[in-house]
Structure formats: structure tokens, C-alpha cells
């Protein structure tokens, strides 16, 4: 007889009740009573100390060792036990007020051997018939582990085969229920996916309990590898495809807020697809857990298997794949699953499913990109791992392209080194350097602005030729001469140095060609703005504008172009009023230049964006839609300008809940920029960031994460860590972590972005306010209340002063400030602030704008803090109504969290 099945146990008889200690089965008057495990464990503890008063502390420690639950948990446990015992009069279990509980009944005990309930305790044998399945027979045991015995079964008539996993003990039953619950979450959230094993049915009515799933003849990854004599003979491309499928399946599970916690080869099943390829399936969620159990409430799924404190926690899993932080006793996260996936990736790459990820593993992997992928997935420090499994999947799917880019980069580096060596050896260094410098500055002038296209369309050919000669003389006679190492004694020079030299010499040049001087001045201004130096950019554009008005007149196209460029810089620095005035100055001349003139089109673009920044979303949408239609209809339209317009409109659509249209336009823009500028161009990265922002706003976090992380890394490497674009990209990476409920990860990222923005923009810039507000939010969640209150006050007061109290930013900042005030004991002031913000929002925002929901949500939290649960529930309901009015699915993540908070409200008195 198997270990434990024939061991000695105790049978307790008391009153009209009978309790068996091994199976935790309770019978009252002969009827089997179904109770959760904790009330039964409580009964067992009382039966072992009959007549004794057991204190609440003793019982809490016995039932929840190592934890600190509230007394109310014990009270509910006792109530459930009394209900099962039919002990409403407390004749069996008596409350000793202020102390604990006592079992009053006389108890008789007897030792028993062998199974007391054969159906639940007997060893399963081939040929057995599972409960409630009369036509199925057990064929072969496939495995046995801590969470159940797995059997191959066959239908006696159809000979169809399935897999049953049985549970014959309390711990295994809890795991079985947990797996059912997690399967329902995955199915209801993600639909039926080919890479997640489906549960066909289950039996929780009669022991031995079980779940059913389809039988896969190929078996697990481990079985499949053994059948082929090991993985080493399988082509690497096929192994990497399996690793990519694993990462995609894991990312999907995490997107549904489900952790697996026991990734290993035996839990990865394989199936042959119709095309002959292998389909990997993620199986066995018996050790899994929910990242956010409020999802169960939102999906109306019963918490089967999650009724015990700490269900699914602990260091369960296979040691080879356990992350270091789990072995150190920390709770599981997405990063712990990612670590296991990294170990599996390593094993698939080296072709050995038994090899551990031990020090020196890098020597086993020849491909440096795969070494990088494994290191990023299975780093010993979770904060240094990839953001999620979706990023790992994308890296593996893009491996051929990454290899091509790496090879191209190496070839470019080789050519660069060769050129440098040739230059150093060459006696014609002066001529080479002139050519290089000319190409560098000409590239800056051409890429930084659209001036030359507008000029070619508007100026006479002979004037353009004269200006081109003047520019050529300026570049070759002045700048390249200044960069000549024979003259300066320095071999190294930068594009910034060339720009500085151009700006210094420009005022003394072009005495007979003012238009050339003005155009170069505007081009230099745009280049400085691209470098993040808005001070120098503004000075140059002001000088160009003044020169244009004096030499050409206020209505000349160059004077108006200077006004548009001044508006662009004002937008960059957050001075929306000045930006609006500058664009209107140009638009007032549309009768002179015509609606299709490039300057007028650029002014319309800027004016529409000012409306967006001022929170006038419907007006911004109307202006952009009309502008895009006009540009599309033009016979000689500027495709690059059109793409930029299409990129701007989705930002407006997001605020109007037009998410599907926004995503379509962003993907169109990304495809356009990738084709015209290349995937690594900064503008392409910005569009990718916009798409990541949209996906984040609608709760598609796993899709957003790789886009935002890649944008940040690429922008940082190209523009430097303190460039405004880099800081914005970093801000979005931190914001995503905050939205995902990871404030401890979000806070250092958001603080870094805030510090950088303060240095670059100054303390009053709107971007600084955005960062202050988000840092304050993270601090609220991490209980650093003093810092949160100070930051929130500054962000909200600055926004009100610069933008007005009804601006969408001011309203959103009010939510953070109010919650910080409530934490600091200023609840009544917080309530007044939010009610005024709601009044302002009702006058300035569309009725379906999500900010109404966020304001009501914050009001609910404040009212709960003030001890007014009835009013808090009403505010929660109002917030929920706003979010539900949004397009289907776009606000689900907010609804789930709102529902979880609402469930914690005490019942109103």
C-alpha cells in the first residue's frame, strides 16, 4: 500500500458528529458536510484540546502560521464551522468573550487504519472508472506530483483518449480548484488560444476529484525530446520557435493577470498543427496565482482554490527554474515566471533540458544575441530583467533582423575605422574634412526642417541658384576652414561645434542675400531645437524673424515662416499662449499666400495642436481632420508632412475615446515613417512611443511594454540621457509600470524623468508637472505621504496658474492632490477640491471623457477615508458608469481595480 494511504489516523466522535483527521471529512447525523479547509482545520485543533479555552492568538498562529490575519478572519472561520456543525446555539463551540473559544462536547477518539473513505483515499489502478464518468477507463498513469496524479483515460465505446488529473488530498484539491479558476480567467479574458491547454470538464462533486483535458500524443516537451534522443539533434530554428511560442503564451497569461509559477519542460505540451509545424501549449496552472484577485470579481468567477490565505504562494515549483528572489522568500511576480522562461530558453539553445543555468553558461551559447536574450530574461536581479515575456517573444521573433542589423552595424563600424585610418595617412586631409563637414552640416540643414522644399516650390530658379552659391561659399569658405585641423590643431570636431561656428559667423555673412541668411538662421534654429537647446533656438528664430520683417516686410513668407517656427519653440517650452499668437500671426496672411502654401499648412498644424494642449479636444479634432483632407487633396502634397499630421490626430482621438481610429492611424504612421525614414529614425521612435501610449491607455500592457522600452533605449542611445525626448520616453516606461500596479518599479523611473525634466525645462514647465504628478501617485501607493503631498501641491498649483483650473491637466492633478491631502488628515479640504473639480469638468470636458471617472474615483477614496461608505459607494458607481461608457474593453483594467476597491468598503450603517 502506498505511503500515507494505510497510515494510522484518528476518528473523533462528539455529539452527533464524526470527524476523520486525515481526510478532514466531517459528518453530522451521518451526512457528509462540505466545508472549506480552514474551518475543518479549526475543528481538528479544537478536538485535540477538548474542554480547553484556546485563545484567539493561539488559534491564529495554529491556522495561519507566520502570518498576521485580523481577528475578523478567525470570527468568520468559527461562524462557518458552527454553520456546518448545526451549532447555532453554541452548544458545541462556545465563545469565551475577550479570550477565545472552547469545545464543550465530550469527545471520543479511536485509531483507524486503512482508508476510511475508499473512494477518496484508495490508490488508483488501471481499469478503474472515474466518478460520474461510467464510460471512461483508466489506462496508464502519466505522472504524479505535488499537485495531483495524472492518468491517460479512454472511452470504452469511441476509444477517444483524454487526460485526467486527480486530487485525493486537501492540498491537491485546492490546487485542482485553483487550476479551474485560473483556466476560467484565461478563457474569459483571452478567449480560446491554441497555446494554452483547455480544460474540457471537471468533477468536484465526488472523490476522487479530477479535471479533464485533451490527450496530446506528442506529450510534453520533455517527452518529445526524449523520444528523439534529446534536443541536440533538433534544428536550432525549431527550438527557438518553441521558445518564442512559450514567451508569447506566457505574455498572454500575464496579460490576464495570471502567473504560472511552475514553468518546466513537463508542463509544456506539444501538438502537431495542420501545416506540420509544432504548436507549444502552456499547461498545469495548479501552482499558479492571480496577480490581481479583483479580476475574479470583475469576471464573476468564484474564488475556487483561493479561499486559503496565501493560496498558491510559497516556493512551490521545480528548483532548477526557481528565480533567486523566490528562494529568498519574496513573493512571485511576472519577473519570476520570466526567469524560468529564460532558463528554458537557455536549455533549448544548448539542446539539453537537464542543464542548469550555472555560472559560465555564456560559454555554451555561441550567438551573442541569444546570450543577451538569456541574460536579460534570467538575470539574477529581477529589476534588470526584461519588462515582460512579450519583449522576450519579440526579440526571438526578430532574431534574423537583429542579426542583420548587427552585421550592418559592424560593417559600418569597420568602414568608419578604415576611413579614419585612411584620413590619418592621407596628405589630402584638408580636402576630405571639407567634404565631411559639408555633408554633416548640409544633412542637419536638410533633415531638421522642410524649408528647402517650400523654397524650391516658391522661389525662382535663378534666386535659388544664387542662394545655393552663397550657402556653398559660407560652408566651404568659413565653416570647413574653421574645422581644418591644420588651422585649429585639433583632429576632432562635432556637428554641435559646426552649428555653434555657423551661428557665430552668420550675422556677418550674406550682405546681398538676406533671404539666404534668414533661411540658414531658421534652419540652425530648428537644428538647435532638435538638440534640445531651446534657448539658442529661440534667439536664432527671433533674429531671423526681425531680419525678415526689416528686409522683406511683415507679410513676406519668410517673416511668416519665422512666426511659425517661433510657435513651434513656444509649444516645445509649454508657452501655449505665445504659440497660439505666433500661429495666428501666420494664419492672418492666408489670403496673401493661399490655403495650400506650406507656411499656412504648417501654421494650421501648430494651431490645431495648441487646441489640443489647451484641452479643446473636439476643436482640435475638427481642425486636424480638415487639414489632413486638404493636404491629401493637394496635387503636389508633401508626403512627409502628411504623415506628421496623421501622427498628431490619434493623440486627439485618444482623449475622445476613439481608440480604434487612433490605433489604425498610428499603425499607418509607423509604417509610413519606417518605410521613408527607417526603423531607427528618432521620428519613427516617437510614433512607436505614441502607439505604446495608446495601448497602455486601453490596458494592453504587454503589447505596450516592448514598444515603450525599445523607444526609450533607442532614444537614449541616439540623443543622450538628458534629451527631452529621452526623458519623455523614460516617463512613459515609468507610467506603464504605475498603470500595471508596480509602484516600486515605477517610482525610480519616474523620479529619474522628473529630475531630468527639471534640469532641462525648469521647474514650471508642463512636462515637469506631469512628472511631479506621477511621482506623487507612486508615492501614494508606497505610503511616502509627505513627498506625495508636496509634489502634488506644486504640480496642481503650477497647472492652475499656467493653464487655468478647468484645464484637463489641472483637473487630473486635483485627483492626486486630494488623495494625498486625505492621507494627511485633510479629508474635508480634499472633498471640496474634488467637488469643485467635478463642477469645472462638467463645464469644460466632453461628457464621456475619462477624467470624469477618475475624479469620481478619487472622490470615492476620499469619502471612504472620511468614513462615509454610502457616499463612497455612490461615487464608485458614478466612476464605473463613466468607464463603462467608453468603447468595449478599453477601460476594463480600470473597472477591475475600481471593483476591487469598492468591494473593500464596509457596509453602510
Amino acid at each position: 500500500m502506498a505511503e500515507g494511504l494505510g497510515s494510522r489516523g484518528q476518528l473523533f466522535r462528539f455529539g452527533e458528529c464524526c470527524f476523520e483527521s486525515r481526510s478532514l471529512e466531517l459528518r453530522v447525523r451521518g451526512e457528509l458536510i462540505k466545508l472549506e479547509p480552514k474551518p475543518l482545520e479549526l475543528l481538528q485543533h479544537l478536538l485535540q484540546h477538548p474542554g480547553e479555552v484556546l485563545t484567539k492568538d493561539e488559534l491564529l498562529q495554529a491556522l495561519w502560521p507566520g502570518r498576521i490575519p485580523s481577528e475578523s478572519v478567525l470570527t468568520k472561520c468559527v461562524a462557518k464551522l458552527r454553520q456546518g456543525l448545526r451549532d447555532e446555539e453554541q452548544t458545541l463551540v462556545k465563545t469565551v468573550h475577550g479570550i477565545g473559544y472552547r469545545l464543550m462536547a465530550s469527545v471520543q477518539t479511536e485509531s483507524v487504519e486503512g482508508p476510511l473513505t475508499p473512494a477518496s483515499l484508495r490508490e488508483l489502478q488501471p481499469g478503474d472508472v472515474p466518478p460520474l464518468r461510467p464510460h471512461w477507463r483508466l489506462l496508464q498513469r502519466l505522472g504524479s506530483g505535488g499537485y495531483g496524479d495524472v492518468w491517460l483515460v479512454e472511452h470504452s465505446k469511441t476509444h477517444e483518449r483524454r487526460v485526467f488529473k486527480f486530487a485525493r488530498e486537501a492540498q491537491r484539491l485546492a490546487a485542482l480548484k485553483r487550476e479551474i479558476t485560473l483556466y476560467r480567467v484565461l478563457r474569459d479574458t483571452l478567449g480560446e488560444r491554441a497555446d494554452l491547454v483547455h480544460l474540457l470538464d471537471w468533477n468536484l462533486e465526488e472523490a476522487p476529484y479530477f479535471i479533464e483535458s485533451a490527450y496530446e500524443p506528442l506529450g510534453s516537451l520533455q517527452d518529445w525530446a526524449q523520444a528523439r534522443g534529446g534536443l541536440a539533434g533538433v534544428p536550432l530554428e525549431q527550438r527557438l520557435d518553441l521558445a518564442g511560442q512559450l514567451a508569447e503564451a506566457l505574455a498572454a497569461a500575464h496579460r490576464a493577470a495570471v502567473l504560472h509559477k511552475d514553468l518546466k519542460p513537463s508542463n509544456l505540451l506539444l501538438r502537431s498543427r495542420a501545416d506540420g509545424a509544432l504548436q507549444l501549449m502552456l499547461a498545469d496552472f495548479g501552482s499558479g496565482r492571480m496577480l490581481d484577485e479583483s479580476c475574479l470579481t470583475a469576471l464573476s468567477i468564484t474564488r475556487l482554490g483561493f479561499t486559503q490565505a496565501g493560496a498558491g504562494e510559497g516556493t512551490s515549483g521545480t528548483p532548477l527554474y526557481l528565480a533567486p528572489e523566490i528562494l529568498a522568500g519574496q513573493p512571485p511576480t511576472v519577473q519570476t515566471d520570466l526567469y524560468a522562461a529564460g532558463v528554458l530558453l537557455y536549455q533549448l539553445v544548448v539542446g539539453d533540458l537537464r542543464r542548469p543555468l550555472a555560472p559560465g553558461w555564456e560559454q555554451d551559447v555561441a550567438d551573442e544575441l541569444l546570450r543577451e536574450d538569456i541574460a536579460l530574461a534570467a538575470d539574477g536581479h529581477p529589476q534588470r530583467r526584461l519588462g515582460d515575456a512579450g519583449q522576450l517573444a519579440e526579440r526571438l521573433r526578430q532574431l534574423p533582423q537583429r542579426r542583420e542589423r548587427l552585421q550592418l552595424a559592424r560593417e559600418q563600424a569597420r568602414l568608419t575605422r578604415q576611413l579614419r585610418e585612411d584620413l590619418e595617412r592621407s596628405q589630402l586631409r584638408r580636402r576630405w574634412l571639407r567634404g565631411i563637414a559639408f555633408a554633416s552640416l548640409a544633412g542637419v540643414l536638410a533633415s531638421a526642417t522642410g524649408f528647402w522644399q517650400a523654397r524650391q516650390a516658391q522661389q525662382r530658379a535663378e534666386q535659388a541658384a544664387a542662394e545655393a552659391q552663397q550657402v556653398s561659399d559660407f560652408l566651404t569658405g568659413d565653416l570647413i576652414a574653421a574645422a581644418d585641423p591644420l588651422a585649429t590643431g585639433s583632429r576632432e570636431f562635432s556637428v554641435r561645434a559646426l552649428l555653434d561656428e555657423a551661428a557665430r559667423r552668420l550675422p556677418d555673412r550674406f550682405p546681398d542675400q538676406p533671404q539666404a541668411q534668414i533661411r540658414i538662421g531658421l534652419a540652425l534654429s530648428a537644428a538647435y531645437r532638435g538638440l534640445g537647446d531651446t534657448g539658442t533656438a529661440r534667439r536664432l528664430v527671433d533674429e531671423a524673424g526681425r531680419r525678415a520683417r526689416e528686409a522683406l516686410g511683415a507679410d513676406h513668407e519668410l517673416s511668416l515662416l519665422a512666426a511659425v517656427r517661433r510657435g513651434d519653440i513656444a509649444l516645445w517650452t509649454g508657452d501655449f499662449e505665445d504659440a497660439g499668437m505666433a500661429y495666428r500671426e501666420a494664419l492672418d496672411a492666408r489670403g496673401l499666400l493661399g490655403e495650400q502654401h506650406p507656411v499656412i499648412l504648417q501654421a494650421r498644424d501648430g494651431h490645431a495642436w495648441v487646441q489640443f494642449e489647451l484641452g479643446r479636444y473636439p476643436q482640435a479634432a475638427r481642425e486636424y481632420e480638415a487639414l489632413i483632407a486638404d493636404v491629401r487633396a493637394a496635387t503636389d502634397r508633401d508626403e512627409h508632412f502628411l504623415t506628421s499630421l496623421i501622427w498628431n490626430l490619434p493623440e486627439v482621438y485618444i482623449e475622445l475615446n476613439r481608440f480604434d481610429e487612433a490605433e489604425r492611424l498610428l499603425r499607418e504612421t509607423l509604417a509610413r515613417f519606417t518605410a521613408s525614414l527607417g526603423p531607427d529614425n528618432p521620428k519613427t521612435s516617437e510614433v512607436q512611443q505614441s502607439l505604446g501610449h495608446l495601448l497602455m491607455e486601453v490596458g494592453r500592457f504587454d503589447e505596450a511594454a516592448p514598444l515603450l522600452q525599445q523607444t526609450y533605449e533607442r532614444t537614449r542611445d541616439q540623443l543622450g540621457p538628458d534629451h527631452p525626448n529621452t526623458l519623455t520616453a523614460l516617463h512613459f516606461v515609468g507610467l506603464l509600470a504605475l498603470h500595471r500596479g508596480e509602484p516600486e518599479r515605477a517610482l525610480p523611473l519616474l523620479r529619474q524623468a522628473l529630475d531630468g525634466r527639471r534640469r532641462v525645462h525648469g521647474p514650471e514647465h508642463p512636462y515637469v508637472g506631469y512628472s511631479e504628478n506621477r511621482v506623487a501617485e507612486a508615492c501614494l501607493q508606497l505610503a511616502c505621504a509627505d513627498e506625495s503631498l508636496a509634489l502634488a501641491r506644486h504640480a496642481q498649483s503650477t497647472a492652475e496658474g499656467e493653464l487655468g483650473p478647468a484645464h484637463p491637466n489641472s483637473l487630473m492633478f486635483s485627483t492626486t492632490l486630494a488623495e494625498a491631502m486625505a492621507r494627511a488628515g485633510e479629508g474635508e479640504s480634499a472633498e471640496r477640491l474634488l467637488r469643485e473639480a467635478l463642477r469645472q469638468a462638467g463645464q469644460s470636458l466632453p461628457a464621456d471623457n475619462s477624467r470624469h471617472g477618475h475624479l469620481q474615483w478619487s472622490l470615492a477614496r476620499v469619502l471612504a477615508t472620511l468614513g462615509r461608505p454610502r457616499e463612497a459607494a455612490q461615487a464608485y458607481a458614478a466612476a464605473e458608469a463613466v468607464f463603462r461608457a467608453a468603447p468595449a474593453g478599453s477601460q476594463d483594467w480600470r473597472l477591475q481595480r475600481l471593483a476591487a476597491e469598492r468591494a473593500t468598503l464596509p457596509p453602510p450603517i
Side-chain angles (χ1 to χ4, degrees), residues 556-799:
H556 192 277
E557 66 171 293
L558 285 181
S559 300
L560 300 174
L561 182 58
V564 171
R565 294 293 171 255
R566 189 178 77 244
D568 294 344
I569 296 171
L571 268 180
W572 188 276
T573 58
D575 191 344
F576 305 132
E577 182 178 357
D578 186 34
M581 292 174 58
Y583 294 130
R584 285 192 296 272
E585 180 181 333
L587 290 174
D588 288 343
R590 68 176 72 194
L592 296 173
L593 300 181
E595 288 289 344
Q596 291 295 327
H597 193 283
V599 172
I600 299 302
L601 294 176
Q602 292 175 48
R604 290 175 64 187
D605 177 20
H607 189 268
W609 193 255
V610 168
Q611 307 314 304
F612 171 79
E613 292 287 2
L614 293 176
R616 302 165 185 165
Y617 305 128
Q619 181 177 343
R622 288 192 297 270
E623 291 190 22
Y624 268 121
E625 288 164 352
L627 177 57
I628 290 172
D630 289 346
V631 175
R632 284 188 189 277
T635 56
D636 57 344
R637 70 189 187 193
D638 182 341
E639 291 294 338
H640 183 81
F641 179 60
L642 176 61
T643 304
S644 296
L645 295 176
I646 297 172
W647 170 22
N648 287 338
L649 183 56
E651 297 287 346
V652 185
Y653 280 171
I654 290 173
E655 295 292 346
L656 297 173
N657 289 344
R658 296 166 66 173
F659 300 109
D660 290 343
E661 294 172 87
E663 182 174 357
R664 177 181 59 79
L665 290 175
L666 281 173
R667 293 194 183 279
E668 176 187 347
T669 306
L670 187 59
R672 282 170 167 264
F673 273 152
T674 301
S676 62
L677 303 176
D680 295 329
N681 186 275
K683 279 194 174 296
T684 307
S685 296
E686 286 189 77
V687 179
Q688 182 173 287
Q689 177 177 280
S690 296
L691 179 58
H693 175 210
L694 166 65
L695 296 173
M696 174 175 62
E697 286 301 311
V698 298
R700 292 157 63 181
F701 299 144
D702 287 340
E703 296 176 66
L707 297 177
L708 295 177
Q709 184 67 30
Q710 186 182 61
T711 297
Y712 167 63
E713 293 174 357
R714 184 182 295 159
T715 307
R716 177 197 60 201
D717 295 343
Q718 291 176 339
L719 303 179
D722 285 333
H723 192 279
N725 288 14
T726 305
L727 298 172
T728 297
L730 177 62
H731 173 83
F732 275 116
V733 173
L735 182 57
L736 175 62
L738 191 62
H739 279 2
R740 300 185 84 159
E742 302 170 357
E744 67 285 346
R745 179 168 174 263
L747 184 56
L749 299 173
L750 293 170
R751 275 184 172 150
Q752 184 180 345
L754 171 59
D755 292 342
R757 283 176 159 178
R758 282 172 172 165
R759 288 193 305 272
V760 172
H761 298 297
E764 307 305 318
H765 194 281
Y767 290 174
V768 173
Y770 300 155
S771 286
E772 286 179 330
N773 183 64
R774 295 304 187 180
V775 171
E777 283 188 48
C779 286
L780 270 178
Q781 296 181 36
L782 294 173
C784 38
D786 291 342
E787 181 180 0
S788 176
L789 183 58
L791 287 169
R793 283 195 194 281
H794 186 264
Q796 204 266 349
S797 63
T798 301

Side-chain angles (χ1 to χ4, degrees), residues 224-337:
W224 181 77
Q226 289 176 349
R228 281 153 184 76
L231 279 178
V234 177
L236 177 61
E237 290 72 16
Q238 188 174 25
R239 287 180 266 151
L240 291 177
D241 178 66
L242 294 176
Q245 291 187 50
L246 165 61
E248 288 166 351
L250 190 59
H254 291 168
R255 192 162 62 248
V258 173
L259 290 181
H260 190 280
K261 288 186 56 193
D262 193 19
L263 289 176
K264 56 185 177 181
S266 60
N267 286 338
L268 306 176
L269 302 185
L270 295 179
R271 171 192 299 162
S272 290
R273 296 199 300 247
D275 61 1
L278 287 177
Q279 174 65 61
L280 181 141
M281 295 170 289
L282 192 55
D284 194 349
F285 283 83
S287 301
R289 62 158 285 186
M290 293 293 302
L291 285 167
D292 181 1
E293 290 191 23
S294 65
C295 297
L296 299 176
T297 302
L299 295 170
S300 301
I301 294 175
T302 306
R303 285 173 163 79
L304 289 175
F306 289 89
T307 55
Q308 292 181 325
E313 296 287 2
T315 55
S316 59
T318 305
L320 188 61
Y321 304 95
L322 286 179
E325 63 269 21
I326 292 294
L327 296 174
Q330 298 179 24
T333 66
V334 167
Q335 300 300 313
T336 60
D337 272 356

Side-chain angles (χ1 to χ4, degrees), residues 18 55 62 141 212 249 263 278 319 440 517 551 608 614 720 805 810 868:
C18 176
T55 68
R141 186 193 298 271
E212 302 179 31
L263 289 176
L278 287 177
S440 297
Q517 184 188 61
L614 293 176
S810 302
R868 291 150 62 184

Side-chain angles (χ1 to χ4, degrees), residues 344-376:
L344 283 163
L345 172 60
Y346 165 70
Q347 294 176 330
L348 285 164
V349 169
V350 300
D352 185 353
L353 293 176
R354 296 172 298 179
R355 191 176 304 184
L357 191 71
W361 64 266
E362 296 88 349
Q363 301 177 28
D364 302 330
V365 182
D367 190 314
E368 63 183 287
L369 293 178
L370 288 174
R371 287 201 302 271
E372 180 181 278
D373 295 339
I374 296 168
L376 287 173

Side-chain angles (χ1 to χ4, degrees), residues 119-426:
S120 62
L121 295 178
R122 180 174 61 81
E123 180 79 23
L124 296 172
Q125 300 292 335
D128 283 353
V129 178
L132 308 180
R133 300 293 189 274
H135 299 297
W136 294 87
R137 297 288 186 275
L138 273 63
L139 283 184
Q140 175 186 355
R141 186 193 298 271
L142 299 178
S144 180
Y147 288 102
D149 297 331
V150 183
W151 281 81
L152 175 64
V153 300
E154 185 177 74
H155 196 280
S156 58
K157 296 181 179 179
T158 66
H159 300 292
E160 177 187 359
R161 293 187 172 188
R162 291 184 182 174
V163 173
F164 283 22
K165 182 193 289 187
F166 290 93
R168 295 176 288 108
E169 300 171 4
Q171 182 188 21
R172 293 187 176 188
L173 177 58
L176 211 65
K177 291 179 177 179
R178 189 160 56 247
E179 187 162 3
I180 294 170
T181 300
L182 295 180
Y183 166 70
R184 293 184 61 195
V185 171
L186 293 169
R187 181 195 60 193
D188 292 357
T189 304
L190 305 172
E192 298 290 348
R193 291 180 59 99
D195 52 7
L196 297 174
V197 168
H198 302 165
L199 297 188
L200 303 176
D201 203 353
W202 49 79
N203 158 44
L204 298 179
E205 300 177 20
E206 184 178 335
Y209 312 107
F210 58 83
I211 56 177
E212 302 179 31
S213 60
Y215 170 61
E216 304 298 343
L218 295 180
S220 67
L221 175 62
Q222 180 175 286
D223 299 331
W224 181 77
Q226 289 176 349
R228 281 153 184 76
L231 279 178
V234 177
L236 177 61
E237 290 72 16
Q238 188 174 25
R239 287 180 266 151
L240 291 177
D241 178 66
L242 294 176
Q245 291 187 50
L246 165 61
E248 288 166 351
L250 190 59
H254 291 168
R255 192 162 62 248
V258 173
L259 290 181
H260 190 280
K261 288 186 56 193
D262 193 19
L263 289 176
K264 56 185 177 181
S266 60
N267 286 338
L268 306 176
L269 302 185
L270 295 179
R271 171 192 299 162
S272 290
R273 296 199 300 247
D275 61 1
L278 287 177
Q279 174 65 61
L280 181 141
M281 295 170 289
L282 192 55
D284 194 349
F285 283 83
S287 301
R289 62 158 285 186
M290 293 293 302
L291 285 167
D292 181 1
E293 290 191 23
S294 65
C295 297
L296 299 176
T297 302
L299 295 170
S300 301
I301 294 175
T302 306
R303 285 173 163 79
L304 289 175
F306 289 89
T307 55
Q308 292 181 325
E313 296 287 2
T315 55
S316 59
T318 305
L320 188 61
Y321 304 95
L322 286 179
E325 63 269 21
I326 292 294
L327 296 174
Q330 298 179 24
T333 66
V334 167
Q335 300 300 313
T336 60
D337 272 356
L338 185 59
Y339 178 89
V343 176
L344 283 163
L345 172 60
Y346 165 70
Q347 294 176 330
L348 285 164
V349 169
V350 300
D352 185 353
L353 293 176
R354 296 172 298 179
R355 191 176 304 184
L357 191 71
W361 64 266
E362 296 88 349
Q363 301 177 28
D364 302 330
V365 182
D367 190 314
E368 63 183 287
L369 293 178
L370 288 174
R371 287 201 302 271
E372 180 181 278
D373 295 339
I374 296 168
L376 287 173
D379 195 291
H381 297 279
Q383 63 270 24
R384 294 202 297 256
R385 292 175 203 148
L386 290 170
D388 57 44
Q391 289 181 258
L392 178 60
E394 182 180 20
R395 294 176 71 94
L396 293 174
R397 296 306 185 203
Q398 293 293 317
L399 191 59
Q401 295 89 329
R402 291 166 60 205
R403 285 170 174 157
E404 291 178 5
R405 290 197 295 268
L406 179 61
Q407 183 62 34
L408 179 60
R410 285 177 170 167
E411 181 62 19
Q412 290 174 339
R414 185 189 66 79
L415 291 174
T416 300
R417 288 194 303 270
Q418 180 179 333
L419 177 59
R420 182 180 295 114
E421 293 169 359
D422 291 344
L423 287 173
E424 290 174 352
R425 288 192 300 266
S426 175

